[in-house]
Amino acid sequence: MNNLFSSYKMKIFLLAFITCSLSFLYSCQSQMKSEEFTLKGQIKNVAVNTPIYLEEINYNSTRGVDTAKADATGNFLMQGSIKSNGLYQLRMGQERALLLVLDDKSSAVQVTADTSDFTSFNYHVSGSPASEQLRGYIMKTKQYGEQFHAAMEEYNSNAGEQTPDSIKKIYEEKVRVADAAFRTYNTKYIDTVENPVLAIFAAYNLNYQRDKNVIDSLENRIKTKFGSVPFVQTFLKQLADQRGGSQQNQNDPKFATGAIAPDIQLNDANGKSLKLSTLRGKYVLVDFWASWCGPCRRENPNVVKAYQSYKDKGFTIYSVSLDTDRDKWLNAIKSDGLMWPNHVSELQGWKSAICQTYGIQSIPQNYLLDKEGRIVASNLRGENLLTVLQKLIP
């Protein structure tokens, strides 16, 4: 999946499995103040004098807009300047945050929230209909994520190695239906929502290869009317870079078919070093993923199916996780039935050195290696992985 429509580096667009906070934002810049905009509210369950930041977020950077401190009852007041339509976060201290969609027409916005209940998205925003729309979208996609997770759990509980294919297909179909339901909702949302920030936010849950028509339609719709909006400009540039970069990567000897894949040496869950090169002599799928990555989790049944089909014929998987939380990583391995032994991670997320080594800007990504460690194919999705393996392995 391409680097636009899978895992956003800020990790705020992974809505099918929303499990992480919004504390992964960097490069705060200087603050601005004016009397053009008022944001006030009450944040319950914060200590007195807790700093509250309003920040504009755009891909992997943030721009400080204003700051305040909570009083004894959690009340705060900000007066700042909103330069353009964009995505913002209201951050409490270093960890907890909620999302807002604001524009230069926003004048008086009020937020009521409780930090002990952020994961339920039960906060309320008045004076900013787009922010409430975004909250509704997040809650809805969270429901779809839970439905998909339930289908995955049912699949893993009932589709073991000894299960007949006819029975496995029943549970595979349930996973497919859950995934299709989310994609249908998400596509309709993108096509019908007017605010470009909301549409782009939803677009990061799509796969450009599968949903090219939806993404192209969105691009055509927003580039003329909203092309001056920085958030939109970033999206359009990413899209252009992705299209150009796909061809460039194909011409890069490091990742070209036939090239030797760079070796990887990372620790497994027990702290034991595990080198990719020790698996020479087998066909190996080097799979980059994470527990918080919805598209990765939706792809896992296909990876499991490939492993079950060919593990006794010289095929294995070397899974590289971009998780930061060890427990969530291990729970996802168990939950998704990733039964192969080769699981490694630096637990550094996007800061992992392996991202630079392999040029990983999005997940899921994978590389299929032959017995000598040469790249045979990359980014195999769905039935394509099985199709390629059928050709390679008698």
Side-chain angles (χ1 to χ4, degrees):
M1 192 175 299
N2 62 64
N3 65 357
L4 275 178
F5 311 111
S6 56
S7 150
Y8 204 30
K9 282 188 177 180
M10 292 186 300
K11 306 186 182 88
I12 59 176
F13 299 110
L14 309 170
L15 299 176
F17 293 91
I18 297 175
T19 56
C20 55
S21 70
L22 303 176
S23 59
F24 304 91
L25 303 169
Y26 315 97
S27 305
C28 290
Q29 301 175 2
S30 61
Q31 298 177 356
M32 301 182 303
K33 284 195 176 184
S34 74
E35 301 302 320
E36 300 174 16
F37 169 74
T38 299
L39 173 64
K40 63 180 180 179
Q42 183 181 38
I43 309 296
K44 298 180 180 179
N45 288 307
V46 294
V48 62
N49 290 327
T50 295
I52 300 177
Y53 306 96
L54 178 65
E55 299 168 331
E56 183 178 12
I57 54 183
N58 200 352
Y59 195 44
N60 62 352
S61 66
T62 69
R63 178 183 65 83
V65 176
D66 206 349
T67 185
K69 288 187 177 181
D71 66 14
T73 57
N75 289 297
F76 70 94
L77 173 65
M78 295 181 182
Q79 292 176 310
S81 175
I82 301 299
K83 296 298 184 182
S84 66
N85 193 5
L87 184 66
Y88 296 78
Q89 72 166 354
L90 192 65
R91 178 166 60 90
M92 278 58 72
Q94 298 301 316
E95 297 181 359
R96 294 164 293 191
L98 57 85
L99 290 176
L100 302 171
V101 177
L102 305 172
D103 58 29
D104 53 3
K105 299 180 181 63
S106 302
S107 58
V109 178
Q110 184 164 352
V111 176
T112 304
D114 189 328
T115 60
S116 66
D117 199 25
F118 266 26
T119 57
S120 298
F121 302 95
N122 287 326
Y123 60 87
H124 177 71
V125 183
S126 62
S128 175
S131 297
E132 277 293 290
Q133 277 185 280
L134 177 59
R135 186 180 70 88
Y137 172 81
I138 293 173
M139 293 185 70
K140 190 69 174 178
T141 53
K142 185 172 183 289
Q143 293 175 13
Y144 279 111
E146 291 169 349
Q147 292 168 10
F148 178 84
H149 181 72
M152 282 282 295
E153 288 282 351
E154 190 174 11
Y155 171 85
N156 291 324
S157 298
N158 296 280
E161 294 185 41
Q162 305 303 318
T163 304
D165 287 344
S166 59
I167 301 299
K168 287 183 181 179
K169 289 181 179 179
I170 294 174
Y171 295 103
E172 287 173 2
E173 178 64 12
K174 290 185 177 182
V175 174
R176 188 199 67 78
V177 168
D179 180 40
F182 168 71
R183 291 180 61 237
T184 298
Y185 164 76
N186 206 49
T187 297
K188 184 177 180 181
Y189 186 90
I190 292 169
D191 287 341
T192 56
V193 69
E194 181 179 1
N195 191 300
V197 176
L198 295 172
I200 292 171
F201 191 99
Y204 279 99
N205 273 308
L206 295 183
N207 178 336
Y208 185 75
Q209 294 176 346
R210 285 198 309 181
D211 305 295
K212 182 178 183 298
N213 291 339
V214 179
I215 302 303
D216 288 349
S217 176
L218 173 61
E219 179 188 25
N220 292 331
R221 176 161 58 94
I222 65 176
K223 66 182 179 181
T224 299
K225 186 175 181 180
F226 301 104
S228 62
V229 176
F231 192 83
V232 175
Q233 290 174 344
T234 299
F235 172 80
L236 296 177
K237 184 179 185 303
Q238 287 178 279
L239 184 54
D241 289 346
Q242 176 64 30
R243 287 168 176 156
S246 296
Q247 183 63 37
Q248 182 181 358
N249 287 341
Q250 291 175 6
N251 297 327
D252 185 348
K254 187 175 182 181
F255 298 100
T257 299
I260 296 291
D263 201 6
I264 301 173
Q265 184 173 1
L266 296 175
N267 289 341
D268 64 14
N270 297 317
K272 181 181 178 181
S273 178
L274 180 60
K275 294 182 69 173
L276 173 62
S277 57
T278 62
L279 301 178
R280 295 280 173 83
K282 294 185 177 182
Y283 289 96
V284 180
L285 184 73
V286 183
D287 190 34
F288 297 89
W289 75 296
S291 67
W292 42 258
C293 170
C296 302
R297 305 290 293 273
R298 294 196 292 272
E299 186 63 31
N300 276 344
N302 298 317
V303 182
V304 170
K305 183 177 180 180
Y307 180 74
Q308 290 176 334
S309 300
Y310 289 97
K311 66 182 179 66
D312 296 326
K313 298 181 180 181
F315 170 71
T316 192
I317 300 170
Y318 186 91
S319 292
V320 182
S321 167
L322 299 188
D323 274 283
T324 58
D325 187 305
R326 181 178 182 274
D327 289 339
K328 290 179 180 178
W329 171 39
L330 298 183
N331 288 338
I333 292 173
K334 181 179 179 181
S335 176
D336 292 3
L338 312 183
M339 71 286 291
W340 49 91
N342 311 309
H343 289 275
V344 298
S345 180
E346 295 177 81
L347 294 177
Q348 294 294 317
W350 291 108
K351 296 181 181 179
S352 298
I354 199 63
C355 291
Q356 182 175 359
T357 302
Y358 267 77
I360 302 299
Q361 300 182 47
S362 71
I363 50 175
Q365 283 197 42
N366 60 49
Y367 294 88
L368 181 61
L369 312 183
D370 66 13
K371 294 181 180 181
E372 287 74 42
R374 293 184 176 87
I375 296 174
V376 176
S378 60
N379 291 332
L380 298 170
R381 299 284 176 264
E383 293 297 321
N384 288 339
L385 176 57
L386 280 173
T387 299
V388 173
L389 288 174
Q390 287 169 0
K391 295 178 181 178
L392 290 174
I393 303 176

